[in-house]
């Protein structure tokens, strides 16, 4: 029988939110196709999450039992995934820095098709049918993929199972690792310190663009963020100018976020930016240009210079939130 | 170091959505009236190539693009920022989203014009946004690959790289030969050409190779079967919050936010 594979990630025994989404999707696909869903857990450390991974939708949790896989190393991971993918009908990876790194090379090694950044995946007439934004979100492409396919799936586009699944099997696979394939070595991981709320978890995000006019603008935004307990984001325009660190970038090539409230300040609303906030509940924009595209995505808009509005907004919000 | 940089010519990705049109049933947008540019991440990759040449004297930078004859325009731009050589891999029409086909043609062109120690590509082209070709070229050449690179400098016999990750970056040492895919960073914004170099660029030769003359590796993998290419559903226009002055606007905005229960 053919299998559907999901690459999972976990912190101790807890699968990440994104993993839960991918397992939910994988489970539904496997049901529709009459296939088995196998979840990969690279390294014994991730193996602790095996029980939770079964509950989240997998029929089999496959622990790749080799300690050198505990930390991400693309060449070793590719070796292990290629060796353990048996009869893959579809391989689902997250559309994050790991999944996007692996997907083309894994597809090539498995001689399968490749579909990146999917936002909708279904099973129809014996094949995967998937949708993805192209041209920076100005168009949506639907494609049918007959035969094995490696997919990356965007965060916040699939839902986890509503109820835990029972049953399933935990398998430990010994994988042979050949270090001769390693040509890239991690020297150091540098974590950017984020004061305040992580963008991924933020219910409220205040975000700034080129319209802020400088790094000082982001200092003003910090004040607003502090009152709202918000995370701070930025457009690529602001990141390229060095006003905000790259990890703040929101959009199709930055973070995909899902807040209840997204306040876009001095951001024009390019489709590539808006791709990152497609699942935000309420978008509010402050922009001097009444024609700015952001106003066709926002629920509420203010046409004004942010420098004049922000101080009043901070005062009014502080007063309102005290009540 | 012999460096190759892969540049793709695409429809200007910053064009506003209302100028972007799709004919019913078409599997490509209409390009009428939309300028064509170097894909933005390829510009970042080109800048990184030029910086590496400065840090490693004796290096050369060769710009390579696969596209129809007009693609020579973007190769001239690369020559104007002082790329040493340019290669056009000529096909009839603009390349579509067949990443395996594109990668195997480019890999063959790299083999023919190389050997190269380092191949740079953008993390993704700003038209189909696939993010596939750079890594596939690496597989086809049998080179290792590091994705989402922002900075690079020579170190020992290889390169020391910064690779962007979700909440910071990784420092990675990589051996040559190597493929890198590059993402944007304040340190790799493409420099402006000097007037004198623009004039020189027009006199530099561009090597043209017909894609059909290349012994491209055949792949068993067929291109995607596109069922539809459509505009996303229309979005509603914002309710503009007005007032006598900024103070009143701010107060009204807060009131609306409270009504929407998002605070
Ligand atoms: C393949 C690709 C991927 C991309 N990925 C991303 C991505 O992930 N994220 C992303 O953000 N972009 C991305 N981009 C870039 C995107 O196309 C835009 O260039 C970018 O989002 C523009 O940033 P901006 O809105 O800050 O700048 P601009 O477009 O310059 O907008 C600035 C806005 O500020 C307004 N303004 C000016 N002064 C003031 C003031 N005093 N008060 C209030 N408003 C003011 C202006 O009216 C204008 O609307 C990508 C592009 C490509 C091609
Ligand atoms: N036709 C092409 N000519 C030259 N380089 C290309 C071409 N297509 C893709 N590339 C390179 O591969 C990268 C990724 O492209 P893609 O996989 O299409 O998103 C681009 O940023 C370019 O560097």
């Amino acid at each position: 029988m053919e299998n559907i594979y999901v690459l999972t990630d976990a912190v101790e025994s807890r699968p990440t939110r994104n993993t839960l989404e991918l397992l939910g999707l994988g489970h539904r696909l496997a049901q529709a196709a009459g296939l088995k869903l196998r979840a990969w857990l690279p390294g014994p450390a991730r193996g602790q999450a095996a029980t939770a991974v079964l509950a989240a939708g997998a029929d089999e949790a496959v622990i790749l039992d080799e300690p050198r896989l505990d930390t991400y190393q693309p060449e070793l991971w590719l070796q292990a995934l290629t060796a353990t993918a048996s009869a893959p009908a579809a391989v689902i990876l997250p559309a994050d820095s790991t999944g996007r790194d692996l997907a083309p090379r894994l597809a090539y090694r498995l001689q399968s098709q490749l579909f990146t950044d999917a936002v909708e995946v279904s099973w129809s007439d014996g094949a995967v049918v998937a949708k993805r934004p192209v041209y920076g979100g100005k168009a949506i492409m639907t494609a049918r993929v007959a035969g094995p396919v490696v997919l990356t799936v965007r965060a916040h586009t699939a839902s986890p199972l509503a109820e835990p699944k029972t049953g399933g099997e935990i398998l430990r696979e010994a994988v042979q690792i050949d270090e001769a394939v390693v040509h890239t070595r991690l020297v150091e991981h540098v974590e950017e310190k984020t004061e305040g709320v992580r963008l991924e978890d933020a219910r409220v995000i205040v975000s700034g663009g080129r319209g802020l006019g400088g790094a000082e603008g982001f200092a003003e935004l910090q004040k607003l963020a502090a009152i709202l307990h918000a995370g701070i984001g930025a457009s690529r325009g602001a990141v390229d100018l060095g006003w905000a660190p790259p990890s703040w970038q929101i959009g199709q090539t930055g973070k995909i976020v899902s807040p209840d409230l997204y306040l876009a300040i001095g951001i024009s609303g390019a489709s590539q930016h808006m791709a990152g906030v497609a699942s935000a509940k309420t978008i509010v924009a402050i922009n001097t240009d009444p024609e700015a595209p952001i106003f066709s995505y926002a629920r509420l808009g203010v046409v004004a210079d942010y420098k004049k509005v922000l101080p009043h907004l901070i005062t009014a919000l502080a007063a309102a939130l005290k009540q | 170091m012999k460096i190759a940089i892969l540049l793709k010519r695409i429809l200007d990705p910053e064009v506003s959505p209302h100028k972007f049109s799709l004919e019913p049933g078409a599997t490509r947008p209409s390009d009428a009236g939309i300028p064509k540019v170097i894909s933005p991440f390829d510009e970042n990759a080109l800048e990184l190539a030029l910086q590496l040449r400065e840090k490693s004297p004796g290096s050369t930078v060769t710009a390579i693009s696969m596209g129809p004859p007009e693609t020579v325009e973007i190769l001239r731009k690369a020559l104007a920022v002082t790329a040493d050589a340019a290669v056009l891999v000529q096909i009839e029409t603009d390349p579509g989203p067949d990443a395996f086909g594109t990668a195997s043609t480019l890999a063959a062109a790299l083999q023919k014009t190389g050997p190269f120690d380092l191949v740079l590509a953008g993390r993704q082209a700003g038209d189909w946004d696939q993010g596939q070709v750079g890594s596939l070229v690496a597989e086809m050449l049998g080179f290792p690959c590091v994705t989402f690179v922002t900075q690079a400098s020579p170190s020992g016999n290889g390169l020391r790289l910064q690779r962007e990750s979700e909440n910071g970056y990784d420092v990675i040492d990589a051996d040559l030969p190597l493929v890198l895919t590059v993402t944007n960073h304040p340190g790799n914004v493409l420099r402006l050409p000097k007037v004198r170099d623009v004039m020189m660029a027009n006199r530099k030769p561009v090597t043209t190779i017909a894609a059909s003359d290349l012994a491209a590796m055949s792949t068993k993998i067929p291109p995607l079967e596109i069922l539809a290419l459509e505009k996303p559903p229309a979005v509603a226009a914002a309710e503009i919050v007005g007032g006598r002055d900024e103070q009143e606007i701010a107060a009204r905005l807060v009131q609306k936010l409270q009504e929407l229960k998002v605070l």
Side-chain angles (χ1 to χ4, degrees):
Chain A
M1 186 164 89
E2 285 189 321
N3 299 300
I4 294 181
Y5 282 86
V6 169
L7 178 64
T8 68
D9 196 10
V11 179
E12 285 156 10
S13 59
R14 288 171 51 143
T16 61
R17 158 87 203 181
N18 201 199
T19 287
L20 298 176
E21 293 172 4
L22 299 186
L23 288 169
L25 169 67
H27 179 78
R28 283 184 288 273
L29 280 182
Q31 295 275 301
L35 303 178
K36 194 158 64 181
L37 180 65
R38 305 185 92 195
W40 273 313
L41 296 92
R46 278 182 197 78
Q48 299 170 45
T51 313
V53 157
L54 293 178
D59 298 307
E60 289 176 0
V62 184
I63 301 168
L64 305 177
D65 214 2
E66 161 55 69
R68 281 171 290 179
L69 298 175
D70 278 341
T71 19
Y72 179 62
Q73 205 294 328
E75 286 131 347
L76 296 182
W77 278 40
L78 283 164
Q79 202 176 42
L81 299 183
T82 309
T84 55
S86 94
V91 173
I92 301 173
L93 310 176
D96 62 11
S97 69
T98 302
R100 285 168 167 162
D101 191 40
L102 296 170
R105 289 186 274 175
L106 188 58
Y108 185 78
R109 291 176 196 205
L110 297 173
Q111 286 292 296
S112 45
Q113 296 248 36
L114 176 56
F115 193 96
T116 42
D117 266 83
V119 294
E120 212 180 292
V121 186
S122 57
W123 186 269
S124 155
D125 284 335
V128 165
V129 173
K131 281 187 198 285
R132 60 156 304 166
V134 292
Y135 286 87
K138 291 187 190 77
I140 309 289
M141 171 175 94
T142 309
R144 182 169 183 277
V145 201
V149 58
V150 173
L151 298 143
T152 63
V153 176
R154 262 193 204 171
H156 306 299
T157 60
S159 34
L161 290 194
E163 295 294 329
K165 184 186 74 61
T166 53
E169 206 179 335
I170 298 173
L171 307 171
R172 287 182 181 274
E173 281 203 42
V175 277
Q176 297 298 321
I177 290 288
D178 174 9
E179 299 245 15
V181 299
V182 172
H183 291 284
T184 64
R185 291 161 299 272
L186 180 68
V187 178
E188 180 190 10
H189 173 72
V190 181
E191 193 81 10
E192 242 154 41
K193 58 172 178 23
T194 32
E195 294 144 28
V197 190
R198 269 163 45 99
L199 281 171
E200 290 87 336
D201 309 326
R203 300 320 322 161
V204 179
I205 293 173
V206 297
S207 194
R210 218 145 33 188
L212 291 192
E216 327 77 67
F218 277 91
E220 288 301 304
L221 234 55
Q222 304 261 18
K223 295 183 195 159
L224 182 62
I227 292 180
L228 289 168
H229 303 291
I232 302 188
S235 70
R236 173 172 170 175
V239 169
D240 280 353
L241 289 160
W243 302 345
S247 64
W248 289 12
Q249 184 170 315
I250 287 174
Q252 68 167 14
T253 52
K255 289 204 164 73
I256 307 276
V257 294
S258 178
D260 293 333
L261 175 61
Y262 187 74
L263 259 158
I265 304 179
I267 292 178
S268 62
S271 54
Q272 293 91 350
H273 181 80
M274 302 317 289
V277 289
S279 59
K281 287 210 185 79
T282 305
I283 297 174
V284 176
I286 303 176
N287 196 304
T288 40
D289 175 9
E291 303 291 325
I294 187 79
F295 289 123
S296 56
Y297 295 92
R299 173 79 179 75
L300 298 172
V302 170
V303 180
D305 181 347
Y306 87 93
K307 286 193 192 123
K308 298 201 178 120
V309 185
L310 215 50
H312 297 295
L313 188 60
I314 289 170
T315 317
L317 279 170
L321 291 170
K322 229 190 268 159
Q323 286 164 20
Chain B
M1 210 174 357
K2 256 195 104 178
I3 307 171
I5 154 84
L6 302 177
L7 298 176
K8 188 175 189 197
R9 175 172 169 269
I10 63 166
L11 284 189
D12 184 354
E14 305 266 345
V15 69
S16 75
H18 70 264
K19 286 209 187 114
F20 180 89
S21 69
L22 289 168
E23 299 296 328
T27 51
R28 289 173 186 222
S30 136
D31 59 2
I34 304 179
K36 296 209 170 133
V37 299
I38 303 180
S39 186
F41 293 113
D42 303 3
E43 291 198 347
N44 300 121
L46 175 56
E47 175 60 30
L48 212 59
L50 298 170
Q51 290 177 8
L52 272 170
R53 186 184 61 185
E54 283 153 18
K55 292 177 197 165
S56 175
S59 300
T60 57
V61 173
T62 303
I64 302 181
S65 186
M66 183 185 94
E70 310 82 79
T71 306
V72 82
E73 295 158 18
I74 69 161
L75 291 170
R76 294 254 175 251
K77 285 195 181 140
L79 291 170
V81 288
T82 73
D84 301 282
V87 178
L88 170 66
V89 182
Q90 199 172 312
I91 51 175
E92 305 273 305
T93 53
D94 287 319
D98 172 17
F100 284 95
T102 300
S104 58
T105 303
L106 287 171
L110 286 161
Q111 267 161 343
K112 191 180 165 101
T113 52
F116 292 99
D117 305 296
L118 179 66
V119 179
L120 294 155
R123 68 174 286 177
Q124 74 191 54
D127 48 5
W128 294 94
D129 289 318
Q130 300 203 103
Q132 304 177 354
V133 169
S135 308
L136 289 175
V137 165
E139 287 292 294
M140 292 168 183
L141 294 175
F143 288 10
C145 176
V146 183
T147 56
F148 309 135
V149 171
T150 55
Q151 309 273 280
S153 40
S155 162
N157 293 324
L159 293 180
R160 174 153 293 192
L161 310 164
Q162 276 189 23
R163 174 183 192 262
E164 202 169 300
S165 67
E166 265 75 30
N167 292 304
Y169 61 89
D170 291 336
V171 179
I172 291 174
D173 278 346
D175 301 336
L176 300 173
L178 178 69
V179 174
L180 303 179
T181 82
V182 177
T183 192
N184 66 298
H185 182 273
N188 64 26
V189 177
L190 183 61
R191 64 196 62 187
L192 292 171
K194 298 198 180 81
V195 179
R196 194 182 57 110
D197 291 332
V198 175
M199 285 175 348
M200 299 266 282
N202 290 326
R203 275 184 255 135
K204 284 195 197 163
V206 172
T207 308
T208 301
I209 307 174
S212 51
D213 287 347
L214 286 168
M217 191 189 306
S218 67
T219 62
K220 293 197 300 285
I221 303 158
L224 294 175
E225 182 194 337
I226 299 180
L227 300 179
L229 192 65
E230 299 155 308
K231 286 217 168 189
V235 276
E239 175 188 341
I240 300 296
V241 181
R244 264 177 291 125
D245 55 20
E246 280 83 7
Q247 188 173 1
E248 190 175 277
I249 294 174
R252 284 197 184 151
L253 180 59
V254 172
Q255 196 190 340
K256 296 258 181 209
L257 290 173
Q258 284 176 318
E259 285 165 18
L260 290 171
K261 301 200 171 23
V262 285
L263 286 184

